[in-house]
Amino acid sequence: QAQKSAHEERLERRLKHMDAMAKAHEINLPVTQTGTQNTSFTSTQHSLANESMTTITGGTQETMLTVTPEDMQVFFKAVNEREADLKGDLASRRKANQQEIDKIQEDVNKISAEVTGVDNEHKKLESELNDIRSEVSTIASQAPGQGVRVRQSDIDSLRAKAADYAKQRDQATNDKDLKEIPAQIRAKEGQIDMLKREIEDDNLALRELRQNTDAQNSITVLKEQAVSELESLKEALKDNAFLLNKLNLTAPTLPDETDERGDDILDVVEAFSNAINDKNETIQQELNTAKDDLASKERVVSEKSALLSHTKNNLVSLRSKLDSLGGDNGPVGKFQRAVAAIRQYEQNTGTTPILEGDDPQQVMAHISARLEDIEKASTATIQPEMLGNLLDQLYKMSAVMEGDEQKIVCPCCTRDFEGLDDVQAFRDNLERMKDVETSELLRANKQGIEKSRAAKAEFQNWRNLVSETMSGVVDWNRMTKEAKDAEVAIRGIEQDLTADTNELDAAKETVSDLQRDADEMRDLHDASKRWMEDTSRFARKKMEIYQKKADLSVSTNTFTDRDLETVEADLAKRQAEKDSLNNQIIQLNKKMTKLNNNIALLSQQATNIEKMANDKQKKFESEQQSSIRKKKLQARQAEINEELPKIKSKLLKLKQTMRTKDGDLKRSRKSAEDELETLSSKLRKFESDVSSLHQIQSEIDDYLDSNKEEDLNRITDKISSLSHRSDVKNAEIEKIKPELEKLNKRIEDQASQEKLIKENLKMIQMKDRICKLEAAVSEAKEDVEKVEGFDKYERALRGCQKKLQELSNKQAHSEGRRGGLIEQIRSLKRKLKSEDYNDIDERHRIVVIKHETTQIAVSDLEKYYSALDNALLRYHGIKIEEINRIIRELWNLTYKGEDITNIELVSGQESGARKSYNYRVVMSKGNTKLDMRGRCSAGQRVLAAIVIRMALAETFCVNFGCIALDEPTVNLDFNNKNGLAIALAQIISSRAQQSNFQLIVITHDEEFVSMMKAELASQSGFSMPEKYFQVRREEAADGKYYSKIDAIDWDELV
């Protein structure tokens, strides 16, 4: 029964639900009635998806309808169609609303445009009104007074005067000279053009004639110069014939000057120059080898000298130590006295073997052996008690048994005693030997002990003495041997040093000879360069002569009918004619200018007067127009004043209309939104009803599948009963219909009450709907709370909502950024179209090319800089070596001391933005080098400064041979002054052939001057200076002192 009741309830629910859906969603289908009803009831038919049913109201009977599965299929089909219709209505309504809104928006836009137009017109009129007022004010301010107005008679008078000037201008313009003068000028210009062409021809001929003459003169001059240079070259070769023969070189035989191009002479001299270069390189290599050998020998001599000095110092030190060790009170004297005492003792005591040799170790070993012998001897002595016991034992040993008898025998040799006397004597001797007072044996034993003790004490003293002096003796022996070896070594070193010194002197002579040859070869090499330059210059001149002759032979004279004087005379004549024509043209131009100036003056006067008349006419017309214009402006001002209120009124109406349209637009949008929301909610309600219907249908299908007919019958009876009740209710409704009609009529009469009731009804419906929704929400909440994991899903929902909000914010942010980027892109596009970025790609390409080429150039410059820097470093090293070589030669030549072998420059490079070098002077002795600063005397410093400066001048001042020395002998001793004089004399001798060499020495040291005289006289290869100059002070007649310079002969120098 319960299941049937539930089934009937579900059927009733389905029927009501379908009825509600049919009413609510207007599902129209034909109705098929299967029951009876009272005729007094009113019927309302609904088409429900091919399901026939009749709902009867107003009576007490109800007709239950049977719904088949086919009917449900038809109904569901109608539901689906209705759902599609609802969705279509929603879409069409949305579209219609949008169209309506767009139409209103279009009206609003039109009205807005019209408002803008009217507003612009209003502003335009106001601007025009302001302009009119300003113009009227300007016209009023510019209007002249009554006495300065322009009159028409003044204008006519000016026009008459202008016509008079124009008539004079026309008369001047029609002057016949204006036409004749240009014709005369053109004719004379034609004559001038003809003369110009003739003058050009004459100039061409004149240049050609003069060029040929100049070429011939140039050839003559070049020939003379070539002959002179060839003679100079031959003379130079002849002058150096002695030097060439000395160097085993043969002067070349120059070819005859018939060589047109000079190639033969150039080849001969070039071959000769190459031979000199080869010879120079050979001599230079030999010189470098000899210098290296000399430096090696100097090093060897210096090292052996240092070794000899060191060995001698060691020998002196050894001898001093030997003297301290070998004195009487020294360890060696003490040791020798101890050895002599030991030998004397052993000889006196007769001890063997006697000490031999003086080696401390042997002596110590001998003493130790003697002490061991003495110790052994002392241990071999017997004490008196022991001797008594020993004698008692001997006596006992003398009594031996022979058979049964006892007899006394010798305990040493076991011989028998001859009698009792011998036995008694034996016994007495033993007793005497035991007695301490009378025993010779004990006495001898005691003396031996005392001698051993004394000998032991002696030898112990000697051993202590030897031990104390042993190290000194060993050192003395070693030093004696070293001293002998040192003497031998010194003799050997002195012999070797003598040989090496001889070799060094020979090497110096060889270097000197080679240096002299090298200097002569260098002079010859320089001369060969000059010869080569002279020969090249001679060959160039010969080639120039050859080319000029060829050009002269090729050149042809096109003016062979006239000579140079004729051409010059014709040229002067034509030039004079040309100048005369130019003067005539100038006179005609002056006359023409005068006429034109007169015409221009008249024209200018006529124009000025005409302009004055026109200005007055314009002013007169302007005054008239200003008066007319003022009237028009005033009229227009009045019109604008009338139009402005109308436009303002129209503008206010348009703005009011636009506000109304804006309100309509907002209301339309709100209404459309409400309507769309209503349709959307209706669609959602429809979908919810369909879902509920499907749920009820599913339950009904489950029940029908159980085949419970009885339950169905009961449900049918119940439906019939309900239907009857429904008929009763419908009858009641029919009874109250007249009253309802009256009420409706009253409601229709009272529109305000009707509106109020509708609002109340709407409110009641909304309340009912709210209650239902709240109930549905409560049920939904209860169902949701019953769902397992609700809290989890709720948290997940909140998380998703939060994430959705974040994504929405991000989307809005991204949209904003996107809008900003789009605007930025537009701005950049506009910027790219501007003039600053016009042809930016091409300009960028050009700049990139410049940048790349600049980078390449910088890279190349870095390579060049690196190569140049390396070259400078190599050049610096070569020059430093050359300077040090010259310093070494000059120092060995000038410095006579033995404490410094050589000095040299040492450079140290400092890194930084710019490379720099620090130079210092070091001195060397043997292999030891020290800085000269703070370690040398004043004379050494002065001499080093002079030597270094002379070396620098020799290295870098090749073409400037001037050396000036101011007081070079300050702080120099005699030997060093003499060395400096020798060096300067050799420099003068070696540089005598140099044309630009000059030595200036300023000194107060007359001794040094004498040295210079002696050394210069000893040199060869140059002429001795005739005089030297002496500067002194003399008092003049005016009482003042003046410097006086006297040239003094060398012979006067004492």
Side-chain angles (χ1 to χ4, degrees), residues 150-186:
V150 179
R151 292 174 294 181
Q152 187 63 39
S153 59
D154 297 335
I155 297 172
D156 296 338
S157 176
L158 288 173
R159 290 192 183 280
K161 192 173 182 180
D164 185 34
Y165 280 115
K167 183 178 180 181
Q168 295 179 16
R169 180 194 62 198
D170 294 338
Q171 290 175 357
T173 304
N174 295 326
D175 192 350
K176 62 179 181 178
D177 290 339
L178 288 175
K179 296 180 180 179
E180 292 176 356
I181 290 174
Q184 294 175 6
I185 292 173
R186 284 193 297 271

Side-chain angles (χ1 to χ4, degrees), residues 761-775:
L761 289 173
K762 187 176 181 180
M763 183 181 68
I764 292 169
Q765 290 175 359
M766 292 298 291
K767 286 183 178 181
D768 292 339
R769 187 178 177 185
I770 289 169
C771 293
K772 292 178 181 179
L773 290 174
E774 288 178 351

Side-chain angles (χ1 to χ4, degrees), residues 720-838:
S720 300
S721 175
L722 291 172
S723 188
H724 177 68
R725 290 175 61 189
S726 177
D727 293 338
V728 173
K729 294 294 182 183
N730 287 331
E732 292 177 355
I733 290 171
E734 289 294 336
K735 289 180 180 180
I736 62 173
K737 273 185 178 180
E739 186 177 355
L740 288 174
E741 289 177 356
K742 291 179 181 179
L743 291 173
N744 288 330
K745 188 175 181 181
R746 290 177 63 188
I747 290 170
E748 290 175 358
D749 294 340
Q750 299 177 357
S752 60
Q753 290 183 3
E754 179 182 6
K755 184 176 180 181
L756 180 61
I757 291 171
K758 285 182 179 180
E759 293 293 333
N760 290 333
L761 289 173
K762 187 176 181 180
M763 183 181 68
I764 292 169
Q765 290 175 359
M766 292 298 291
K767 286 183 178 181
D768 292 339
R769 187 178 177 185
I770 289 169
C771 293
K772 292 178 181 179
L773 290 174
E774 288 178 351
V777 168
S778 299
E779 292 177 0
K781 286 183 178 180
E782 292 176 358
D783 294 338
V784 168
E785 290 174 356
K786 293 177 182 179
V787 176
E788 185 178 359
F790 168 72
D791 296 336
K792 177 181 177 182
Y793 292 126
E794 187 176 16
R795 287 193 299 272
L797 177 61
R798 285 196 295 270
C800 291
Q801 288 175 348
K802 183 178 180 181
K803 187 174 182 180
L804 179 61
Q805 183 64 30
E806 292 176 356
L807 291 174
S808 298
N809 294 335
K810 287 183 179 179
Q811 181 182 6
H813 181 68
S814 299
E815 289 292 336
R817 286 188 60 194
R818 178 174 174 272
L821 290 174
I822 291 172
E823 183 60 30
Q824 188 177 359
I825 290 170
R826 291 174 182 170
S827 175
L828 291 175
K829 286 181 178 179
R830 289 193 299 270
K831 196 172 183 180
L832 287 173
K833 292 179 181 179
S834 64
E835 186 177 355
D836 292 338
Y837 294 93
N838 191 21

